């Protein structure tokens, strides 16, 4: 991947957002893969990061970095891959769940979820912030669950941490780089596919729009927040949730 500032017209009027390389973590998962596809369609080059490369990777100008972002060596590999490129964005998608009733939740389940969902995106954002071009952005994938879900104390805590990180970092990096978060609600992914039908129906019934969202709908909001159309938006949490934001 060799996108450099010399290859691109980087003379931007106020409010413009640059086109270049975007790092996407969790790129092999449902939402991550949709984000990669959308950013490629919008003309970006993508540095896709995950523990594994998908069996059917998307076509286009995408480079894969296989890395564990909870490991300093994994983060270092991502940072090294961004050398000598025109970096315009970072999308922190990677996340895990280890759900359990509070009385059954052990320390390992808490530590693992916080490490992947909260600490890793913070560490990677700090490592890459100075490399992101003026007018670029960071988008963190939080969750509606940051408001609190039964059986997800660890997950809710991790996604709440992402909200706080987003707001604090947006103030630290302004006005050069914008930082926002997206809080998806019920999204049709492998996780929802694994739910018993009656459980999925019960959750879906609580969504005002009456259905699960699609990964592409989350990806569209990511693209918007990285674009010039969101040039005056930073430090915000955008709910892509079918109306169930509380």
């Amino acid at each position: 991947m060799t996108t450099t500032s010399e290859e691109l017209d980087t003379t931007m009027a106020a409010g413009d957002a640059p086109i270049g390389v975007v790092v996407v973590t969790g790129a092999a998962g449902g939402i991550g893969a949709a984000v990669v596809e959308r950013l490629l369609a919008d003309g970006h080059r993508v540095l896709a990061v995950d523990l594994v490369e998908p069996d059917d990777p998307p076509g286009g100008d995408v480079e894969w970095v296989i890395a564990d972002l909870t490991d300093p060596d994994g983060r270092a590999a991502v940072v090294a891959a961004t050398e000598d490129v025109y970096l315009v964005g970072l999308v922190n998608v990677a996340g895990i769940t280890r759900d359990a009733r509070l009385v059954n939740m052990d320390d390992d389940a808490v530590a693992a979820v916080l490490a992947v969902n909260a600490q890793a995106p913070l560490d990677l954002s700090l490592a890459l912030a100075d490399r992101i071009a003026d007018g670029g952005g960071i988008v963190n994938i939080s969750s509606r669950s940051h408001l609190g879900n039964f059986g997800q104390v660890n997950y809710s805590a991790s996604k709440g941490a992402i909200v706080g990180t987003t707001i604090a970092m947006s103030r630290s990096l302004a006005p050069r780089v914008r930082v926002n978060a997206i809080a998806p609600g019920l999204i049709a992914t492998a996780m929802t596919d694994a739910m018993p039908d009656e459980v999925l129906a019960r959750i879906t019934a609580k969504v005002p729009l009456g259905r699960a969202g699609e990964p592409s709908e989350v990806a569209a909001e990511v693209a918007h927040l990285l674009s010039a159309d969101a040039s005056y938006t930073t430090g915000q949490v955008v709910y892509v949730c079918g109306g169930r934001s509380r």
Side-chain angles (χ1 to χ4, degrees):
M1 184 168 293
T2 58
T3 306
T4 66
S5 56
E6 286 75 21
E7 291 181 274
L8 297 164
D9 179 8
T10 59
T11 304
M12 297 177 294
D16 283 352
I19 295 291
V21 176
V22 180
V23 173
V24 180
T25 75
I31 291 176
V35 170
V36 171
E37 183 177 353
R38 175 57 187 263
L39 293 177
L40 290 172
D42 286 353
H44 290 288
R45 297 183 180 184
V46 175
L47 187 66
V49 183
D50 213 313
L51 293 171
V52 295
E53 185 173 337
D55 294 333
D56 186 21
D61 204 342
V62 55
E63 176 183 335
W64 285 87
V65 177
I66 306 306
D68 179 353
L69 294 176
T70 66
D71 185 333
D73 289 341
R75 293 193 299 275
V78 177
V79 173
T82 66
E83 291 181 4
D84 301 321
V85 305
Y86 186 61
L87 185 65
V88 301
L90 166 63
V91 186
N92 287 304
V93 183
I96 62 171
T97 58
R98 295 289 186 272
D99 296 351
R101 291 172 178 268
L102 185 58
V103 294
N104 296 325
M105 188 171 291
D106 59 30
D107 291 345
D108 289 344
V110 174
V113 169
L114 289 175
V116 174
N117 296 5
Q119 190 67 52
L122 171 59
D123 289 342
L124 188 60
S125 295
L126 292 174
L128 294 181
D130 288 345
R131 297 189 176 199
I132 297 176
D134 290 2
I138 297 173
V139 179
N140 296 316
I141 302 300
S142 179
S143 169
R144 183 200 167 275
S145 295
H146 85 86
L147 299 168
N149 267 353
F150 178 79
Q152 289 193 314
V153 168
N154 52 354
Y155 187 74
S156 295
S158 70
K159 292 305 186 177
I162 284 295
V163 170
T165 294
T166 296
I167 296 169
M169 189 169 286
S170 72
R171 296 176 181 177
S172 297
L173 297 182
R176 200 178 64 78
V177 173
R178 295 170 295 109
V179 187
N180 293 287
I182 295 174
L186 181 66
I187 304 297
T189 62
M191 186 184 302
T192 56
D193 290 344
M195 289 181 179
D197 291 343
E198 64 274 13
V199 174
L200 181 58
R202 186 167 64 249
I203 296 172
T204 303
K206 298 178 181 179
V207 179
L209 289 186
R211 64 174 177 86
E214 295 295 329
S216 61
E217 292 173 304
V218 179
E221 189 57 42
V222 171
H224 168 72
L225 290 173
L226 289 176
S227 75
D229 289 339
S231 59
Y232 198 57
T233 302
T234 194
Q236 303 305 303
V237 180
V238 180
Y239 289 87
V240 181
C241 59
R244 190 181 175 219
S245 58
R246 289 293 184 270

